[in-house]
Amino acid sequence: MRLTPMERPKMDSLISVKDLSIGFHLRDLMLPAVEGLSFDVAAGETLGIVGESGSGKSLSARAILGLVPSGGKVTGGSITYQRAEKSEVEITKLPKNGKEIRSLRGADIAMVFQEPMASLSPVHTIGSQIITTLRQHTCLSKKAALDRAIELLNQVGMSSPAEIAEQYAHQISGGMRQRAMIAMALSCDPRLLICDEPTTALDATTEAQIVELLAKLQGDLNMGMIFISHNIGLVSEIADRVMVMYLGQEVETGPAKDVLRMPGHPYTRALLNALPAFTEPGQALATLQGAVPDPTSRPSGCAFHPRCPEFAGSQCKNKRPSLHQLAERHRAKCHLHD
Ligand code: SF4
């Protein structure tokens, strides 16, 4: 069954992205980096976004904070944020560094970045960086902000929070730096937390601890969360719903358990087949050949067709597939469902 109109969410959305397109200027051309993307996230819900580098997942998340890099531009669609008092803000229409978007960033909507060393200041203590964020968005005194910073460091599992508050980023481990970033992101009680590959630089044990911490905090604080990763196994551990992206487009979205058990798109199946958990003992891990193409040389028809293990002939090569509804809240964009 064709999806017209797009499936609507069941719960009140905190953030509602509709038909979002983002492009980058290259000489006289506008190259599409994200095309026609639609998704919603509700309070208390985690949406996982998965895809290889170049799929547009981080760019789409940054657009929610009005942080599309220079040279890039939202070329279509909308991003609507529902404030606590139920008024709506159309983020794509706000001036890039205006007062309103700055009041949302770090307060209502916060982000945990991939590499804390690049995000934390090397010349300010962990505590002073959290205090600065707190004092930008609240009326707390310096003393109250310090107390709150220590409380936040405790909340993210730091065993000596007062001591950590006085240390610099280079004095603590990678896992602790990421916990400090999470504490900073939580400092103003965000309603939506965006985690962009938050465990990429960590070893497997620390990665598991950070994922567990984020899941606990999301539940305790009833936040909406967007968790971005190239690792579909990791995303499915934490997400309620999973959206798989390829070359700037959604190719599949559904409840995490449905996407895992009955993936509806060959790209999702290829990502899952590359996981050790989906491989029989003694069998070699499956690999997906090739790489995500450059946006300047987008393949015709289905953008995945040159790499697709289930390529189904000329229609894949010549015609863009539409989104098909596979089950309630589960959809995929592939000609195999025509
Ligand atoms: Fe593969 Fe064709 Fe489906 Fe694209 S439309 S994912 S090429 S089967």
Side-chain angles (χ1 to χ4, degrees):
M1 188 175 72
R2 289 275 163 93
L3 252 192
T4 46
M6 292 289 287
E7 179 199 16
R8 294 294 306 160
K10 294 274 184 277
M11 298 170 277
D12 277 352
S13 299
L14 277 180
I15 201 88
S16 183
V17 174
K18 292 281 162 266
D19 268 329
L20 180 71
S21 295
I22 303 172
F24 280 85
H25 288 287
L26 181 72
R27 292 183 284 277
D28 294 340
L29 295 172
M30 178 61 82
L31 290 177
V34 171
E35 288 183 86
L37 197 67
S38 297
F39 63 85
D40 296 82
V41 183
E45 181 190 36
T46 298
L47 173 72
I49 307 184
V50 187
E52 294 163 283
S53 294
S55 61
K57 52 194 191 310
S58 297
L59 182 61
S60 310
R62 278 163 194 252
I64 293 174
L65 287 164
L67 291 175
V68 173
S70 71
K73 172 178 168 190
V74 172
T75 53
S78 62
I79 302 173
T80 309
Y81 173 66
Q82 184 91 42
R83 284 188 186 277
E85 66 275 17
K86 299 289 173 201
S87 63
E88 288 186 346
V89 187
E90 172 41 55
I91 289 177
T92 51
K93 295 208 166 84
L94 299 179
K96 202 168 175 183
N97 279 312
K99 199 175 160 197
E100 202 168 356
I101 188 71
R102 281 190 285 115
S103 75
L104 291 179
R105 263 184 223 144
D108 286 51
I109 309 172
M111 190 151 182
V112 177
F113 292 93
Q114 185 174 134
E115 178 40 80
M117 243 348 218
S119 309
L120 290 168
S121 162
V123 295
H124 297 94
T125 62
I126 300 295
S128 71
Q129 292 179 69
I130 301 177
I131 290 168
T132 303
T133 310
L134 277 166
R135 285 176 48 91
Q136 257 169 12
H137 293 286
T138 68
C139 306
L140 290 180
S141 68
K142 259 190 176 171
K143 167 76 177 72
L146 173 62
D147 291 346
R148 174 76 179 131
I150 292 171
E151 185 188 319
L152 283 160
L153 291 170
N154 186 42
Q155 194 178 4
V156 298
M158 300 283 205
S159 52
S160 311
E163 283 166 35
I164 298 292
E166 287 177 9
Q167 294 193 302
Y168 293 86
H170 68 271
Q171 294 178 299
I172 58 177
S173 69
M176 287 164 100
R177 282 197 286 272
Q178 198 53 287
R179 284 175 195 267
M181 282 293 298
I182 295 168
M184 202 179 303
L186 295 181
S187 57
C188 297
D189 301 319
R191 299 173 69 229
L192 178 68
L193 183 67
I194 302 173
C195 302
D196 186 7
E197 304 258 12
T199 61
T200 300
L202 305 175
D203 61 75
T205 309
T206 316
E207 175 178 89
Q209 290 168 353
I210 294 292
V211 169
E212 195 181 323
L213 172 69
L214 285 168
K216 181 179 181 311
L217 292 167
Q218 185 266 342
D220 290 351
L221 305 173
N222 196 36
M223 292 181 294
M225 185 155 81
I226 298 176
F227 188 95
I228 298 168
S229 177
H230 60 276
N231 183 340
I232 193 168
L234 191 65
V235 163
S236 57
E237 278 175 33
I238 193 168
D240 301 299
R241 280 188 300 133
V242 173
M243 177 167 75
V244 183
M245 288 185 70
Y246 187 79
L247 202 57
Q249 292 189 12
E250 168 194 353
V251 296
E252 178 165 5
T253 299
K257 60 176 176 17
D258 293 356
V259 173
L260 273 192
R261 282 189 210 143
M262 293 168 291
H265 195 278
Y267 181 55
T268 314
R269 286 194 275 276
L271 293 177
L272 286 168
N273 287 339
L275 294 176
F278 283 74
T279 308
E280 294 295 325
Q283 214 179 22
L285 278 182
T287 51
L288 178 56
Q289 299 300 316
V292 178
D294 196 272
T296 53
S297 49
R298 189 191 189 285
S300 60
C302 169
F304 185 54
H305 87 256
R307 304 173 72 198
C308 181
E310 299 172 49
F311 178 71
S314 63
Q315 61 171 354
C316 295
K317 204 168 172 183
N318 299 320
K319 191 177 157 204
R320 285 198 180 203
S322 312
L323 271 171
H324 293 268
Q325 194 80 40
L326 308 182
E328 201 194 358
R329 310 204 86 204
H330 188 184
R331 61 199 186 189
K333 195 183 270 185
C334 173
H335 285 309
L336 295 177
H337 302 293
D338 282 354

Coordinates of all heavy atoms in Angstrom, one line a residue, residues 265-266 302 304-305 308 310-312 316 321 334-336, ligand 1:
H265 N 13.9 -3.3 4.0 CA 14.7 -2.7 3.0 C 16.1 -3.5 2.8 O 16.7 -3.8 3.9 CB 15.0 -1.2 3.3 CG 15.5 -0.5 2.1 ND1 16.8 -0.5 1.7 CD2 14.9 0.3 1.2 CE1 17.0 0.3 0.6 NE2 15.8 0.8 0.3
P266 N 16.5 -3.7 1.6 CA 17.8 -4.5 1.4 C 19.0 -3.8 2.2 O 19.9 -4.5 2.6 CB 18.0 -4.5 -0.1 CG 16.6 -4.4 -0.6 CD 15.8 -3.5 0.3
C302 N 16.7 4.1 -7.9 CA 17.0 3.9 -6.4 C 18.5 4.2 -6.2 O 19.3 3.6 -6.8 CB 16.7 2.5 -6.0 SG 17.2 2.1 -4.4
F304 N 20.4 3.4 -4.0 CA 21.2 2.2 -3.4 C 21.5 1.2 -4.5 O 22.2 0.2 -4.3 CB 20.4 1.6 -2.3 CG 21.0 0.5 -1.5 CD1 22.3 0.7 -1.0 CD2 20.4 -0.7 -1.3 CE1 23.0 -0.3 -0.3 CE2 21.0 -1.7 -0.6 CZ 22.3 -1.5 -0.1
H305 N 20.9 1.3 -5.7 CA 20.9 0.2 -6.7 C 22.4 -0.3 -7.1 O 22.5 -1.5 -7.2 CB 20.1 0.5 -7.9 CG 20.8 1.2 -9.0 ND1 20.5 2.5 -9.3 CD2 21.6 0.8 -10.0 CE1 21.3 2.9 -10.4 NE2 21.9 1.9 -10.8
C308 N 23.1 -2.7 -4.2 CA 22.0 -3.5 -3.6 C 22.2 -5.0 -3.9 O 22.3 -5.5 -5.0 CB 20.7 -3.1 -4.2 SG 19.3 -4.0 -3.5
E310 N 20.0 -7.1 -3.6 CA 18.7 -7.7 -4.1 C 18.2 -6.9 -5.3 O 17.0 -6.9 -5.5 CB 17.7 -7.6 -2.9 CG 18.2 -8.5 -1.7 CD 17.3 -8.3 -0.5 OE1 16.0 -8.4 -0.7 OE2 17.8 -8.0 0.6
F311 N 19.2 -6.3 -6.0 CA 18.9 -5.5 -7.2 C 17.8 -6.2 -8.1 O 18.0 -7.4 -8.4 CB 20.1 -5.3 -8.0 CG 20.0 -4.5 -9.3 CD1 19.7 -3.2 -9.3 CD2 20.1 -5.2 -10.5 CE1 19.5 -2.5 -10.4 CE2 19.9 -4.5 -11.7 CZ 19.6 -3.1 -11.6
A312 N 16.7 -5.5 -8.4 CA 15.6 -6.2 -9.1 C 15.4 -5.7 -10.5 O 14.3 -5.6 -11.0 CB 14.3 -6.0 -8.3
C316 N 14.7 -0.6 -10.7 CA 15.6 -0.1 -9.6 C 16.5 0.9 -10.2 O 16.9 1.9 -9.5 CB 16.4 -1.3 -9.1 SG 15.4 -2.5 -8.2
P321 N 12.0 4.7 -6.0 CA 11.0 3.9 -5.3 C 10.2 4.9 -4.3 O 10.8 5.9 -3.9 CB 11.7 2.9 -4.5 CG 13.1 3.3 -4.4 CD 13.4 4.3 -5.5
C334 N 11.3 0.8 -1.3 CA 12.0 -0.2 -2.2 C 10.9 -0.7 -3.1 O 9.8 -1.0 -2.8 CB 12.5 -1.3 -1.3 SG 13.2 -2.7 -2.2
H335 N 11.4 -0.9 -4.4 CA 10.5 -1.5 -5.4 C 10.1 -2.9 -5.1 O 9.1 -3.4 -5.7 CB 11.2 -1.5 -6.8 CG 11.3 -0.1 -7.4 ND1 10.2 0.7 -7.5 CD2 12.3 0.6 -7.9 CE1 10.6 1.9 -8.1 NE2 11.9 1.8 -8.3
L336 N 10.8 -3.6 -4.3 CA 10.4 -5.0 -3.9 C 9.0 -5.0 -3.3 O 8.3 -6.0 -3.3 CB 11.3 -5.6 -2.9 CG 12.8 -5.9 -3.5 CD1 13.6 -6.4 -2.4 CD2 12.8 -6.8 -4.7
Ligands
SF4_1 FE1 17.5 -2.7 -4.1 FE2 15.8 -2.1 -6.0 FE3 15.0 -2.0 -3.5 FE4 16.7 -0.2 -4.4 S1 14.6 -0.5 -5.1 S2 16.8 -1.3 -2.5 S3 17.9 -1.4 -5.8 S4 15.7 -3.9 -4.6

